[in-house]
């Protein structure tokens, strides 16, 4: 088992990464209180809930199971979980455990952040995306019909327990979505890790345990380092949004057909093409980014939509400041910047050039 610390002074916490960790939960989390609420969903519950319940022993253990999908990250479910906590007379010393992907984690985290002004929160992420990204760093939220993650809080967990064995039951599609975030870390922060990913993309696709363990560990180390340096996203943490502004436009306009990681992958390819066109990213690096995404079975061609639609969705991004669009853009493999972009023609040119370049190759 590996242990990484997210260093945030008195709110520092461990990320445990390993195999068969569910069985060791009570040893890993000796400080758990008597009253525990597990939030999970209808897909994860039949697979892993019993194991987790057994490992937690015999306190007052209550489970709240939500449905599957992004639509469940709602104020409606938030209210229902609050109802459960209140109906069982949970007090301020209780703990909330999220057992699931990013949807469960974001929702349960927001519940924990606000129930009685905040109770202990633990993350047991079960998707690759949640293990390498959403369970670490303390962003919690629910969606509003007006936009994703509009209601939420920064609220750090007490610990994150990553059991990589549970990735075995993920669909290929959900697994690949997690790889998009893994590749992101290589592009923005760590050229050596990017090279390692290039060399091991086939092992990763085949979910070879050692390769998966390393990719999860290195991703968590990078996220932990960035969060410790900039918890509230004043500067460096914004780089974690590489590909996400383009990605959100794709997700928002095609929410039923594109998953988050797929939209981020296509968005990353566009961001690389944007910089290549300005001669700020070499042809070779742009090509390497595109090839690695493709090797991991991720899309690098965005769905076609009019520029006005891209513009409309991208302007709603949280990084827009004083009406100006700010994009995370790669400057090399291993480095990225956050830049205000005013010239929409250049954005349009990157989107269309990337798509036609990609189509030529396909
Ligand atoms: N808080 C953050 O910092 C942060 C960062 C990135 C993404 N997010 C959020 O995360 C969400 C996406 O997360 P996600 O990709 O994990 O989506 P998800 O939670 O919907 O999980 C994807 C699918 O996998 C299923 N699943 C989960 N674990 C499984 C397992 N072990 N075996 C089989 N199936 C399993 C789920 O039921 C779901 O169908 C979005 O809401 C996004 O906004 C948050
Ligand atoms: Zn993401």
């Amino acid at each position: 088992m590996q242990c990484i610390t997210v260093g945030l002074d008195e709110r520092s916490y461990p990320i445990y990464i390993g195999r068969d960790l569910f069985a060791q939960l009570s040893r890993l989390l000796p400080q758990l209180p008597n009253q525990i609420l597990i939030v999970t969903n209808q897909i994860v519950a039949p697979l892993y809930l019993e194991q987790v319940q057994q490992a937690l022993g015999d306190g007052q253990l209550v489970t709240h199971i939500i449905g599957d999908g992004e639509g469940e990250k709602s104020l409606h479910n938030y209210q229902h979980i609050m109802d459960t906590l209140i109906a069982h007379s949970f007090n301020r010393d209780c703990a909330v455990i999220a057992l699931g992907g990013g949807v469960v984690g974001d929702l349960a985290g927001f519940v924990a952040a606000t129930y009685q002004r905040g109770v202990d929160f633990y993350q047991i992420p079960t998707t690759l995306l949640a293990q390498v990204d959403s369970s670490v760093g303390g962003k919690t939220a629910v969606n509003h019909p007006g936009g994703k993650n509009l209601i939420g809080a920064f609220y750090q967990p007490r610990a994150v327990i990553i059991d990589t064995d549970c990735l075995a039951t993920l669909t290929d599609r959900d697994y690949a979505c997690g790889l998009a975030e893994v590749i992101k870390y290589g592009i923005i922060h760590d050229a050596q890790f990017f090279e390692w990913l290039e060399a091991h993309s086939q092992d990763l696709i085949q979910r070879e345990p050692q390769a998966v363990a390393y990719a999860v560990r290195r991703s968590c180390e990078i996220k932990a380092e960035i969060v410790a340096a900039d918890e509230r996203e004043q500067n460096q943490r914004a780089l974690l949004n590489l590909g996400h502004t383009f990605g959100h436009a794709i997700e928002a306009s095609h929410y039923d057909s594109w998953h988050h990681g797929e939209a981020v992958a296509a968005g990353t390819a566009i961001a690389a093409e944007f910089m290549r066109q300005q001669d700020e990213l070499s042809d070779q690096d742009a090509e390497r980014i595109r090839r690695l995404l493709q090797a991991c079975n991720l899309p690098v061609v965005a769905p076609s939509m009019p520029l006005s639609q891209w513009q409309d969705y991208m302007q709603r991004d949280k990084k827009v400041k004083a009406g100006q669009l700010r994009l995370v853009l790669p400057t090399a493999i291993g480095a990225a910047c956050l830049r205000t972009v005013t010239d929409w023609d250049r954005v349009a040119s990157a989107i269309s050039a990337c798509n036609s370049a990609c189509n030529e190759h396909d």
Side-chain angles (χ1 to χ4, degrees):
M1 187 184 72
Q2 310 273 340
C3 180
I4 297 162
T5 301
V6 183
L8 291 164
D9 299 324
E10 71 283 357
R11 289 175 299 116
S12 295
Y13 57 93
I15 307 169
Y16 299 110
I17 305 170
R19 304 187 64 178
D20 197 25
L21 292 195
F22 291 159
Q24 304 171 52
L25 278 178
S26 52
R27 183 177 68 78
L28 294 172
L29 306 174
Q31 72 279 32
L32 275 177
N34 189 50
Q35 293 183 314
I36 299 170
L37 176 75
I38 302 174
V39 180
T40 187
N41 82 0
Q42 65 190 39
I43 304 289
V44 178
L47 294 168
Y48 304 113
L49 180 59
E50 201 180 319
Q51 262 172 279
V52 170
Q53 282 171 329
Q54 272 174 6
L56 290 176
D58 20 65
Q60 187 189 354
L61 202 57
V62 175
T63 302
H64 188 110
I65 301 177
I66 63 169
D68 187 32
E70 183 67 32
E72 299 288 319
K73 216 172 93 174
S74 62
L75 270 179
H76 180 79
N77 275 339
Y78 170 82
Q79 161 98 49
H80 271 296
I81 301 173
M82 288 294 178
D83 294 345
T84 300
L85 286 164
I86 293 162
H88 289 87
S89 307
F90 269 43
N91 58 45
R92 288 184 76 174
D93 299 325
C94 73
V96 173
I97 296 181
L99 173 68
V103 166
V104 165
D106 281 12
L107 170 66
F110 186 51
V111 167
T114 48
Y115 183 62
Q116 304 215 11
R117 301 198 183 87
V119 297
D120 285 356
F121 177 47
Y122 295 87
Q123 286 268 19
I124 308 183
T126 61
T127 63
L128 181 59
L129 184 139
Q131 294 190 346
V132 300
D133 197 352
S134 64
S135 67
V136 174
K139 279 192 184 177
T140 73
V142 295
N143 300 325
H144 183 275
K148 241 176 90 87
N149 298 329
L150 285 183
I151 303 162
F154 283 99
Y155 194 69
Q156 300 293 341
R158 293 268 174 208
V160 182
I161 293 104
I162 299 180
D163 186 334
T164 49
D165 283 343
C166 70
L167 300 178
T169 49
L170 274 186
T171 62
D172 287 343
R173 193 171 176 192
D174 283 316
Y175 180 77
C177 282
L179 290 178
E181 307 283 8
V182 172
I183 294 169
K184 168 186 87 178
Y185 293 116
I187 299 172
I188 64 169
H189 194 80
D190 187 343
Q192 251 183 320
F193 182 44
F194 189 93
E195 264 175 52
W196 182 90
L197 292 168
E198 290 177 313
H200 294 85
S201 59
Q202 283 319 301
D203 298 333
L204 284 171
I205 283 298
Q206 285 156 17
R207 309 189 201 186
E208 194 282 305
Q210 277 189 332
V212 173
Y214 179 70
V216 171
R217 189 187 96 205
R218 187 67 197 123
S219 299
C220 286
E221 281 171 353
I222 295 171
K223 179 122 191 209
E225 190 187 319
I226 292 175
V227 167
D230 179 24
E231 184 185 8
R232 299 253 160 180
E233 199 167 315
Q234 304 300 307
N235 45 65
Q236 197 189 351
R237 188 167 180 175
L239 300 183
L240 294 172
N241 291 307
L242 173 69
H244 281 62
T245 305
F246 294 108
H248 285 156
I250 299 171
E251 267 183 293
S253 53
H254 295 75
Y255 63 93
D256 47 353
S257 50
W258 281 69
H259 289 185
H260 177 75
E262 295 164 346
V264 167
T268 299
I270 297 169
E273 174 60 21
F274 181 92
M275 290 303 262
R276 196 193 65 75
Q277 289 192 358
Q278 335 260 324
D279 288 330
E280 291 187 82
L281 179 71
S282 68
D283 291 350
Q284 194 200 11
D285 284 355
E287 182 63 13
R288 283 175 69 193
I289 290 171
R290 213 178 62 78
R291 281 197 187 286
L292 181 56
L293 292 167
Q294 283 185 312
C296 291
N297 295 335
L298 285 158
V300 290
V301 181
S304 73
M305 55 180 167
L307 181 64
S308 60
Q309 207 175 336
W310 281 100
Q311 216 164 340
D312 187 30
Y313 284 116
M314 288 170 73
Q315 288 288 5
R316 294 185 208 169
D317 191 84
K318 287 195 199 62
K319 288 182 298 306
V320 168
K321 264 205 179 152
Q324 290 198 314
L325 179 69
R326 295 186 313 154
L327 291 176
V328 180
L329 297 163
T331 51
I333 302 283
C337 63
L338 180 65
R339 190 173 299 169
T340 300
V341 172
T342 47
D343 190 343
W344 276 97
D345 289 345
R346 289 187 173 182
V347 174
S349 153
I351 293 168
S352 67
C354 177
N355 285 1
S356 51
C358 295
N359 288 329
E360 269 168 34
H361 288 283
D362 288 341

